[in-house]
């Protein structure tokens, strides 16, 4: 039985809008314009609230794949913004990806 895809186009449009918005924030961060980053960050709340309204819309497989592709892109952009705002997070991310024990486990014992 095919899934009902009603609401899915609106949901995808909202995910695309959030992705574009995140790209704008990233560009401001790259320019070192943290005032704009903060302003755009506050505007993100309305986009996210709008997404919550459509997030549970039924989606077919192709639409669901596109949704998760957009989500992956948004998370990658967010990580780039975080790295610009807090460069030390790169070390933490590398540790998590590599499965490296955290600092308290690497301390010499004795």
């Amino acid at each position: 039985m095919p899934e009902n895809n009603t609401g899915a186009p609106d949901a995808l449009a909202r995910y695309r809008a959030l992705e574009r918005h995140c790209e704008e924030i990233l560009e401001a961060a790259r320019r070192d314009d943290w005032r704009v980053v903060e302003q755009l960050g506050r505007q993100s709340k309305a986009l996210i609230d709008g997404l919550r309204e459509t997030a549970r819309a039924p989606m077919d497989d192709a639409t669901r794949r596109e949704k998760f592709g957009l989500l992956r892109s948004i998370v990658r952009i967010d990580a780039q913004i975080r790295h610009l705002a807090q460069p030390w997070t790169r070390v933490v991310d590398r540790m998590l990806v590599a499965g490296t024990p955290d600092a308290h486990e690497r301390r010499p014992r004795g």
Side-chain angles (χ1 to χ4, degrees):
M1 177 185 221
E3 295 181 44
N4 177 354
N5 226 18
T6 344
D10 187 41
L12 284 178
R14 290 175 189 242
Y15 281 105
R16 286 185 200 110
L18 181 58
E19 180 187 41
R20 283 189 305 274
H21 188 75
C22 290
E23 288 169 347
E24 289 177 35
I25 295 171
L26 177 58
E27 289 307 312
R30 285 179 175 152
R31 290 190 313 269
D32 207 24
D33 192 343
W34 298 104
R35 185 185 54 77
V36 171
V37 169
E38 185 179 339
Q39 289 172 344
L40 291 170
R42 283 192 301 269
Q43 293 171 7
S44 297
K45 184 179 179 339
L47 289 168
I48 293 167
D49 288 346
L51 260 176
R52 287 188 177 120
E53 296 171 12
T54 60
R56 297 195 184 273
M59 296 180 184
D60 59 33
D61 289 341
T63 305
R64 193 174 297 112
R65 278 192 299 276
E66 184 175 354
K67 170 188 169 181
F68 284 109
L70 290 165
L71 285 170
R72 278 190 295 277
S73 175
I74 291 165
V75 169
R76 278 193 297 270
I77 293 167
D78 182 65
Q80 291 175 53
I81 295 165
R82 197 169 11 95
H83 291 158
L84 290 167
Q86 301 169 324
W88 60 268
T89 61
R90 288 182 188 271
V91 175
V92 174
D93 286 349
R94 279 194 298 265
M95 287 171 42
L96 292 172
V97 169
T100 306
D102 62 11
H104 76 275
E105 291 181 51
R106 289 187 278 140
R107 282 192 204 127
R109 303 189 195 263

